[in-house]
Amino acid sequence: MLANSGFGTRSEVRALIAGGAVSVNGITAKKADLQVSAEDEVICNGNPVSSDEHLYFLLDKPDEVLTAMEDPRLACVGEFIPDNLRGRKLSPVGRLDYHTTGLLVITNDGTLSHRLQSPKYKIKKIYLVNYDGPEWTEAEIKEVADGVTLTDMDTPVKLSPSAVSPIADGKAYITLTEGKTHEVRRIFAKFNKEVTALRRISLGNITIKEDTADCGVLRELTKDEVLGLKALTGL
Ligand code: URA
């Protein structure tokens, strides 16, 4: 349980137990093969140990941060994960560009992660976009709503329908149900609009602030938020 919860390798946690660092229901554990259940209160060096193998976090990703757990050169989202959870095989659900801010779920629940990214479940992702260029016309909005074809790369790609809602000059929401590479930037570019700031504000049942005041804040998803994501993906 300790090794699975990121408190160290099997031999490291054996040493912790031998050193008296671990208690179970208030009694110092003596043996590493002591059997514990989800109801037992396990404490290691003063930190509660959760038997729940799945962790679910929400990071409000700042600008200039790579969506990766590690990188030799650039700041990356893995740096926002507390050290004692490094061994928990957490990884981001999908990817936000280096310059995109906002809602990023980080979990070690591979099934949920896979389903949230699969176009099959049509999970809605809402982005707030600032752009330079002509305003959206009704005809352009309709083209995107019908599923636009991008021809900016070697092979043309037909996108699923997306909803553009202009808010003000140079500002719009766009709702996607899939996650093709640089999809928002490419849709805007197709209509001669250059994205100058991109922020994901919603994923399925979860919505965050439109302003960037909480960029860099990591929090655990609430039970209801997790249940909501699972319900949307048939889990
Ligand atoms: N679309 C983009 O262009 N970039 C992102 O980061 C997410 C969606």
PDB file of all heavy atoms in Angstrom, residues 94-122:
ATOM      1  N   GLY A  94      -4.961  14.316 -22.103  1.00  0.00           N
ATOM      2  CA  GLY A  94      -4.828  15.131 -23.318  1.00  0.00           C
ATOM      3  C   GLY A  94      -3.733  16.168 -23.132  1.00  0.00           C
ATOM      4  O   GLY A  94      -2.942  16.096 -22.186  1.00  0.00           O
ATOM      5  N   ARG A  95      -3.723  17.113 -24.058  1.00  0.00           N
ATOM      6  CA  ARG A  95      -2.611  18.066 -24.061  1.00  0.00           C
ATOM      7  C   ARG A  95      -3.113  19.473 -24.360  1.00  0.00           C
ATOM      8  O   ARG A  95      -3.964  19.656 -25.236  1.00  0.00           O
ATOM      9  CB  ARG A  95      -1.630  17.644 -25.158  1.00  0.00           C
ATOM     10  CG  ARG A  95      -0.284  18.307 -25.040  1.00  0.00           C
ATOM     11  CD  ARG A  95       0.669  17.757 -26.041  1.00  0.00           C
ATOM     12  NE  ARG A  95       0.937  16.340 -25.827  1.00  0.00           N
ATOM     13  CZ  ARG A  95       1.656  15.608 -26.659  1.00  0.00           C
ATOM     14  NH1 ARG A  95       2.136  16.127 -27.775  1.00  0.00           N
ATOM     15  NH2 ARG A  95       1.885  14.342 -26.406  1.00  0.00           N
ATOM     16  N   LEU A  96      -2.584  20.421 -23.606  1.00  0.00           N
ATOM     17  CA  LEU A  96      -2.789  21.828 -23.962  1.00  0.00           C
ATOM     18  C   LEU A  96      -1.464  22.337 -24.498  1.00  0.00           C
ATOM     19  O   LEU A  96      -0.394  21.956 -23.983  1.00  0.00           O
ATOM     20  CB  LEU A  96      -3.204  22.646 -22.726  1.00  0.00           C
ATOM     21  CG  LEU A  96      -4.587  22.333 -22.123  1.00  0.00           C
ATOM     22  CD1 LEU A  96      -4.839  23.185 -20.885  1.00  0.00           C
ATOM     23  CD2 LEU A  96      -5.698  22.548 -23.153  1.00  0.00           C
ATOM     24  N   ASP A  97      -1.521  23.203 -25.503  1.00  0.00           N
ATOM     25  CA  ASP A  97      -0.297  23.766 -26.071  1.00  0.00           C
ATOM     26  C   ASP A  97       0.500  24.515 -24.998  1.00  0.00           C
ATOM     27  O   ASP A  97      -0.059  24.968 -23.997  1.00  0.00           O
ATOM     28  CB  ASP A  97      -0.619  24.775 -27.179  1.00  0.00           C
ATOM     29  CG  ASP A  97      -1.276  24.121 -28.386  1.00  0.00           C
ATOM     30  OD1 ASP A  97      -1.150  22.899 -28.544  1.00  0.00           O
ATOM     31  OD2 ASP A  97      -1.910  24.851 -29.167  1.00  0.00           O
ATOM     32  N   TYR A  98       1.768  24.698 -25.277  1.00  0.00           N
ATOM     33  CA  TYR A  98       2.677  25.422 -24.374  1.00  0.00           C
ATOM     34  C   TYR A  98       2.091  26.770 -23.953  1.00  0.00           C
ATOM     35  O   TYR A  98       2.185  27.183 -22.804  1.00  0.00           O
ATOM     36  CB  TYR A  98       3.993  25.616 -25.137  1.00  0.00           C
ATOM     37  CG  TYR A  98       5.135  26.203 -24.346  1.00  0.00           C
ATOM     38  CD1 TYR A  98       5.708  25.495 -23.292  1.00  0.00           C
ATOM     39  CD2 TYR A  98       5.661  27.446 -24.685  1.00  0.00           C
ATOM     40  CE1 TYR A  98       6.774  26.022 -22.587  1.00  0.00           C
ATOM     41  CE2 TYR A  98       6.731  27.978 -23.987  1.00  0.00           C
ATOM     42  CZ  TYR A  98       7.289  27.255 -22.932  1.00  0.00           C
ATOM     43  OH  TYR A  98       8.331  27.785 -22.237  1.00  0.00           O
ATOM     44  N   HIS A  99       1.440  27.452 -24.894  1.00  0.00           N
ATOM     45  CA  HIS A  99       0.906  28.786 -24.592  1.00  0.00           C
ATOM     46  C   HIS A  99      -0.581  28.783 -24.230  1.00  0.00           C
ATOM     47  O   HIS A  99      -1.171  29.852 -24.064  1.00  0.00           O
ATOM     48  CB  HIS A  99       1.142  29.744 -25.768  1.00  0.00           C
ATOM     49  CG  HIS A  99       2.571  30.183 -25.865  1.00  0.00           C
ATOM     50  ND1 HIS A  99       3.191  30.911 -24.868  1.00  0.00           N
ATOM     51  CD2 HIS A  99       3.503  29.974 -26.818  1.00  0.00           C
ATOM     52  CE1 HIS A  99       4.449  31.146 -25.220  1.00  0.00           C
ATOM     53  NE2 HIS A  99       4.666  30.582 -26.396  1.00  0.00           N
ATOM     54  N   THR A 100      -1.206  27.604 -24.155  1.00  0.00           N
ATOM     55  CA  THR A 100      -2.621  27.555 -23.749  1.00  0.00           C
ATOM     56  C   THR A 100      -2.683  27.467 -22.226  1.00  0.00           C
ATOM     57  O   THR A 100      -1.911  26.735 -21.615  1.00  0.00           O
ATOM     58  CB  THR A 100      -3.325  26.333 -24.372  1.00  0.00           C
ATOM     59  OG1 THR A 100      -3.223  26.424 -25.796  1.00  0.00           O
ATOM     60  CG2 THR A 100      -4.788  26.260 -23.984  1.00  0.00           C
ATOM     61  N   THR A 101      -3.617  28.204 -21.622  1.00  0.00           N
ATOM     62  CA  THR A 101      -3.788  28.115 -20.169  1.00  0.00           C
ATOM     63  C   THR A 101      -5.086  27.360 -19.887  1.00  0.00           C
ATOM     64  O   THR A 101      -5.894  27.126 -20.774  1.00  0.00           O
ATOM     65  CB  THR A 101      -3.889  29.525 -19.524  1.00  0.00           C
ATOM     66  OG1 THR A 101      -5.112  30.146 -19.938  1.00  0.00           O
ATOM     67  CG2 THR A 101      -2.708  30.408 -19.911  1.00  0.00           C
ATOM     68  N   GLY A 102      -5.275  27.025 -18.607  1.00  0.00           N
ATOM     69  CA  GLY A 102      -6.576  26.532 -18.187  1.00  0.00           C
ATOM     70  C   GLY A 102      -6.649  25.092 -17.763  1.00  0.00           C
ATOM     71  O   GLY A 102      -5.655  24.479 -17.361  1.00  0.00           O
ATOM     72  N   LEU A 103      -7.856  24.569 -17.924  1.00  0.00           N
ATOM     73  CA  LEU A 103      -8.264  23.320 -17.271  1.00  0.00           C
ATOM     74  C   LEU A 103      -7.555  22.070 -17.817  1.00  0.00           C
ATOM     75  O   LEU A 103      -7.769  21.683 -18.961  1.00  0.00           O
ATOM     76  CB  LEU A 103      -9.772  23.185 -17.459  1.00  0.00           C
ATOM     77  CG  LEU A 103     -10.564  22.251 -16.558  1.00  0.00           C
ATOM     78  CD1 LEU A 103     -12.055  22.509 -16.728  1.00  0.00           C
ATOM     79  CD2 LEU A 103     -10.251  20.808 -16.705  1.00  0.00           C
ATOM     80  N   LEU A 104      -6.752  21.476 -16.952  1.00  0.00           N
ATOM     81  CA  LEU A 104      -6.080  20.236 -17.326  1.00  0.00           C
ATOM     82  C   LEU A 104      -6.304  19.230 -16.198  1.00  0.00           C
ATOM     83  O   LEU A 104      -5.955  19.494 -15.044  1.00  0.00           O
ATOM     84  CB  LEU A 104      -4.573  20.490 -17.505  1.00  0.00           C
ATOM     85  CG  LEU A 104      -3.769  19.317 -18.049  1.00  0.00           C
ATOM     86  CD1 LEU A 104      -4.143  19.019 -19.498  1.00  0.00           C
ATOM     87  CD2 LEU A 104      -2.275  19.593 -17.956  1.00  0.00           C
ATOM     88  N   VAL A 105      -6.901  18.089 -16.543  1.00  0.00           N
ATOM     89  CA  VAL A 105      -7.073  17.030 -15.550  1.00  0.00           C
ATOM     90  C   VAL A 105      -5.820  16.153 -15.588  1.00  0.00           C
ATOM     91  O   VAL A 105      -5.290  15.849 -16.664  1.00  0.00           O
ATOM     92  CB  VAL A 105      -8.351  16.198 -15.837  1.00  0.00           C
ATOM     93  CG1 VAL A 105      -8.417  14.973 -14.948  1.00  0.00           C
ATOM     94  CG2 VAL A 105      -9.593  17.066 -15.636  1.00  0.00           C
ATOM     95  N   ILE A 106      -5.351  15.801 -14.390  1.00  0.00           N
ATOM     96  CA  ILE A 106      -4.169  14.939 -14.277  1.00  0.00           C
ATOM     97  C   ILE A 106      -4.584  13.767 -13.390  1.00  0.00           C
ATOM     98  O   ILE A 106      -5.069  13.965 -12.284  1.00  0.00           O
ATOM     99  CB  ILE A 106      -2.988  15.713 -13.650  1.00  0.00           C
ATOM    100  CG1 ILE A 106      -2.638  16.920 -14.530  1.00  0.00           C
ATOM    101  CG2 ILE A 106      -1.774  14.809 -13.471  1.00  0.00           C
ATOM    102  CD1 ILE A 106      -1.510  17.795 -13.985  1.00  0.00           C
ATOM    103  N   THR A 107      -4.427  12.567 -13.904  1.00  0.00           N
ATOM    104  CA  THR A 107      -4.918  11.393 -13.166  1.00  0.00           C
ATOM    105  C   THR A 107      -4.064  10.166 -13.471  1.00  0.00           C
ATOM    106  O   THR A 107      -3.305  10.149 -14.442  1.00  0.00           O
ATOM    107  CB  THR A 107      -6.399  11.106 -13.535  1.00  0.00           C
ATOM    108  OG1 THR A 107      -6.872  10.016 -12.740  1.00  0.00           O
ATOM    109  CG2 THR A 107      -6.563  10.743 -14.997  1.00  0.00           C
ATOM    110  N   ASN A 108      -4.239   9.149 -12.626  1.00  0.00           N
ATOM    111  CA  ASN A 108      -3.639   7.847 -12.948  1.00  0.00           C
ATOM    112  C   ASN A 108      -4.744   6.823 -13.248  1.00  0.00           C
ATOM    113  O   ASN A 108      -4.497   5.618 -13.233  1.00  0.00           O
ATOM    114  CB  ASN A 108      -2.721   7.370 -11.823  1.00  0.00           C
ATOM    115  CG  ASN A 108      -3.434   7.361 -10.476  1.00  0.00           C
ATOM    116  OD1 ASN A 108      -4.623   7.661 -10.378  1.00  0.00           O
ATOM    117  ND2 ASN A 108      -2.698   7.026  -9.433  1.00  0.00           N
ATOM    118  N   ASP A 109      -5.947   7.317 -13.506  1.00  0.00           N
ATOM    119  CA  ASP A 109      -7.053   6.446 -13.899  1.00  0.00           C
ATOM    120  C   ASP A 109      -7.045   6.362 -15.430  1.00  0.00           C
ATOM    121  O   ASP A 109      -7.633   7.188 -16.127  1.00  0.00           O
ATOM    122  CB  ASP A 109      -8.369   7.053 -13.379  1.00  0.00           C
ATOM    123  CG  ASP A 109      -9.585   6.180 -13.688  1.00  0.00           C
ATOM    124  OD1 ASP A 109      -9.503   5.341 -14.603  1.00  0.00           O
ATOM    125  OD2 ASP A 109     -10.611   6.363 -13.027  1.00  0.00           O
ATOM    126  N   GLY A 110      -6.344   5.352 -15.921  1.00  0.00           N
ATOM    127  CA  GLY A 110      -6.105   5.241 -17.358  1.00  0.00           C
ATOM    128  C   GLY A 110      -7.382   5.075 -18.165  1.00  0.00           C
ATOM    129  O   GLY A 110      -7.509   5.611 -19.262  1.00  0.00           O
ATOM    130  N   THR A 111      -8.349   4.347 -17.612  1.00  0.00           N
ATOM    131  CA  THR A 111      -9.591   4.107 -18.354  1.00  0.00           C
ATOM    132  C   THR A 111     -10.340   5.418 -18.537  1.00  0.00           C
ATOM    133  O   THR A 111     -10.781   5.749 -19.642  1.00  0.00           O
ATOM    134  CB  THR A 111     -10.482   3.090 -17.592  1.00  0.00           C
ATOM    135  OG1 THR A 111      -9.690   1.962 -17.301  1.00  0.00           O
ATOM    136  CG2 THR A 111     -11.696   2.704 -18.386  1.00  0.00           C
ATOM    137  N   LEU A 112     -10.458   6.182 -17.437  1.00  0.00           N
ATOM    138  CA  LEU A 112     -11.174   7.459 -17.548  1.00  0.00           C
ATOM    139  C   LEU A 112     -10.422   8.390 -18.495  1.00  0.00           C
ATOM    140  O   LEU A 112     -11.024   9.041 -19.353  1.00  0.00           O
ATOM    141  CB  LEU A 112     -11.322   8.109 -16.160  1.00  0.00           C
ATOM    142  CG  LEU A 112     -12.033   9.459 -16.187  1.00  0.00           C
ATOM    143  CD1 LEU A 112     -13.496   9.304 -16.611  1.00  0.00           C
ATOM    144  CD2 LEU A 112     -11.953  10.151 -14.826  1.00  0.00           C
ATOM    145  N   SER A 113      -9.115   8.438 -18.348  1.00  0.00           N
ATOM    146  CA  SER A 113      -8.308   9.326 -19.191  1.00  0.00           C
ATOM    147  C   SER A 113      -8.528   9.007 -20.673  1.00  0.00           C
ATOM    148  O   SER A 113      -8.766   9.889 -21.498  1.00  0.00           O
ATOM    149  CB  SER A 113      -6.832   9.165 -18.824  1.00  0.00           C
ATOM    150  OG  SER A 113      -6.055   9.971 -19.649  1.00  0.00           O
ATOM    151  N   HIS A 114      -8.470   7.740 -20.982  1.00  0.00           N
ATOM    152  CA  HIS A 114      -8.627   7.309 -22.367  1.00  0.00           C
ATOM    153  C   HIS A 114     -10.006   7.709 -22.897  1.00  0.00           C
ATOM    154  O   HIS A 114     -10.148   8.250 -23.990  1.00  0.00           O
ATOM    155  CB  HIS A 114      -8.421   5.794 -22.434  1.00  0.00           C
ATOM    156  CG  HIS A 114      -8.552   5.266 -23.816  1.00  0.00           C
ATOM    157  ND1 HIS A 114      -9.697   4.641 -24.248  1.00  0.00           N
ATOM    158  CD2 HIS A 114      -7.714   5.297 -24.861  1.00  0.00           C
ATOM    159  CE1 HIS A 114      -9.550   4.308 -25.509  1.00  0.00           C
ATOM    160  NE2 HIS A 114      -8.357   4.686 -25.913  1.00  0.00           N
ATOM    161  N   ARG A 115     -11.026   7.478 -22.073  1.00  0.00           N
ATOM    162  CA  ARG A 115     -12.388   7.783 -22.542  1.00  0.00           C
ATOM    163  C   ARG A 115     -12.622   9.282 -22.685  1.00  0.00           C
ATOM    164  O   ARG A 115     -13.334   9.721 -23.583  1.00  0.00           O
ATOM    165  CB  ARG A 115     -13.418   7.179 -21.589  1.00  0.00           C
ATOM    166  CG  ARG A 115     -13.418   5.667 -21.689  1.00  0.00           C
ATOM    167  CD  ARG A 115     -14.626   5.084 -21.029  1.00  0.00           C
ATOM    168  NE  ARG A 115     -14.574   3.639 -21.125  1.00  0.00           N
ATOM    169  CZ  ARG A 115     -15.588   2.844 -20.872  1.00  0.00           C
ATOM    170  NH1 ARG A 115     -16.741   3.350 -20.487  1.00  0.00           N
ATOM    171  NH2 ARG A 115     -15.467   1.550 -20.979  1.00  0.00           N
ATOM    172  N   LEU A 116     -12.028  10.072 -21.780  1.00  0.00           N
ATOM    173  CA  LEU A 116     -12.227  11.522 -21.890  1.00  0.00           C
ATOM    174  C   LEU A 116     -11.621  12.057 -23.185  1.00  0.00           C
ATOM    175  O   LEU A 116     -12.070  13.065 -23.726  1.00  0.00           O
ATOM    176  CB  LEU A 116     -11.590  12.245 -20.691  1.00  0.00           C
ATOM    177  CG  LEU A 116     -12.316  12.087 -19.356  1.00  0.00           C
ATOM    178  CD1 LEU A 116     -11.496  12.693 -18.223  1.00  0.00           C
ATOM    179  CD2 LEU A 116     -13.699  12.747 -19.402  1.00  0.00           C
ATOM    180  N   GLN A 117     -10.579  11.361 -23.676  1.00  0.00           N
ATOM    181  CA  GLN A 117      -9.918  11.823 -24.901  1.00  0.00           C
ATOM    182  C   GLN A 117     -10.516  11.216 -26.164  1.00  0.00           C
ATOM    183  O   GLN A 117     -10.262  11.703 -27.268  1.00  0.00           O
ATOM    184  CB  GLN A 117      -8.431  11.472 -24.838  1.00  0.00           C
ATOM    185  CG  GLN A 117      -7.694  12.238 -23.759  1.00  0.00           C
ATOM    186  CD  GLN A 117      -6.273  11.761 -23.625  1.00  0.00           C
ATOM    187  OE1 GLN A 117      -5.445  11.988 -24.503  1.00  0.00           O
ATOM    188  NE2 GLN A 117      -5.960  11.093 -22.525  1.00  0.00           N
ATOM    189  N   SER A 118     -11.282  10.151 -25.977  1.00  0.00           N
ATOM    190  CA  SER A 118     -11.812   9.464 -27.156  1.00  0.00           C
ATOM    191  C   SER A 118     -12.949  10.273 -27.796  1.00  0.00           C
ATOM    192  O   SER A 118     -13.881  10.692 -27.112  1.00  0.00           O
ATOM    193  CB  SER A 118     -12.332   8.086 -26.723  1.00  0.00           C
ATOM    194  OG  SER A 118     -13.231   7.604 -27.680  1.00  0.00           O
ATOM    195  N   PRO A 119     -12.909  10.456 -29.136  1.00  0.00           N
ATOM    196  CA  PRO A 119     -13.999  11.197 -29.781  1.00  0.00           C
ATOM    197  C   PRO A 119     -15.350  10.501 -29.609  1.00  0.00           C
ATOM    198  O   PRO A 119     -16.401  11.113 -29.701  1.00  0.00           O
ATOM    199  CB  PRO A 119     -13.585  11.242 -31.254  1.00  0.00           C
ATOM    200  CG  PRO A 119     -12.394  10.381 -31.403  1.00  0.00           C
ATOM    201  CD  PRO A 119     -11.881   9.989 -30.052  1.00  0.00           C
ATOM    202  N   LYS A 120     -15.286   9.195 -29.287  1.00  0.00           N
ATOM    203  CA  LYS A 120     -16.522   8.409 -29.145  1.00  0.00           C
ATOM    204  C   LYS A 120     -17.465   8.998 -28.085  1.00  0.00           C
ATOM    205  O   LYS A 120     -18.680   8.942 -28.226  1.00  0.00           O
ATOM    206  CB  LYS A 120     -16.117   6.979 -28.756  1.00  0.00           C
ATOM    207  CG  LYS A 120     -17.238   6.038 -28.538  1.00  0.00           C
ATOM    208  CD  LYS A 120     -16.720   4.625 -28.348  1.00  0.00           C
ATOM    209  CE  LYS A 120     -17.791   3.769 -27.679  1.00  0.00           C
ATOM    210  NZ  LYS A 120     -17.246   2.528 -27.161  1.00  0.00           N
ATOM    211  N   TYR A 121     -16.889   9.544 -27.011  1.00  0.00           N
ATOM    212  CA  TYR A 121     -17.743  10.028 -25.912  1.00  0.00           C
ATOM    213  C   TYR A 121     -18.116  11.506 -26.063  1.00  0.00           C
ATOM    214  O   TYR A 121     -18.854  12.037 -25.256  1.00  0.00           O
ATOM    215  CB  TYR A 121     -17.066   9.749 -24.555  1.00  0.00           C
ATOM    216  CG  TYR A 121     -16.966   8.259 -24.321  1.00  0.00           C
ATOM    217  CD1 TYR A 121     -15.791   7.575 -24.635  1.00  0.00           C
ATOM    218  CD2 TYR A 121     -18.051   7.541 -23.866  1.00  0.00           C
ATOM    219  CE1 TYR A 121     -15.703   6.200 -24.488  1.00  0.00           C
ATOM    220  CE2 TYR A 121     -17.980   6.168 -23.715  1.00  0.00           C
ATOM    221  CZ  TYR A 121     -16.805   5.497 -24.024  1.00  0.00           C
ATOM    222  OH  TYR A 121     -16.736   4.142 -23.888  1.00  0.00           O
ATOM    223  N   LYS A 122     -17.564  12.171 -27.093  1.00  0.00           N
ATOM    224  CA  LYS A 122     -17.951  13.560 -27.402  1.00  0.00           C
ATOM    225  C   LYS A 122     -17.951  14.467 -26.163  1.00  0.00           C
ATOM    226  O   LYS A 122     -18.908  15.216 -25.918  1.00  0.00           O
ATOM    227  CB  LYS A 122     -19.322  13.605 -28.071  1.00  0.00           C
ATOM    228  CG  LYS A 122     -19.376  12.887 -29.413  1.00  0.00           C
ATOM    229  CD  LYS A 122     -20.717  13.179 -30.080  1.00  0.00           C
ATOM    230  CE  LYS A 122     -20.791  12.772 -31.534  1.00  0.00           C
ATOM    231  NZ  LYS A 122     -20.324  11.472 -31.907  1.00  0.00           N
TER     232      LYS A 122
END
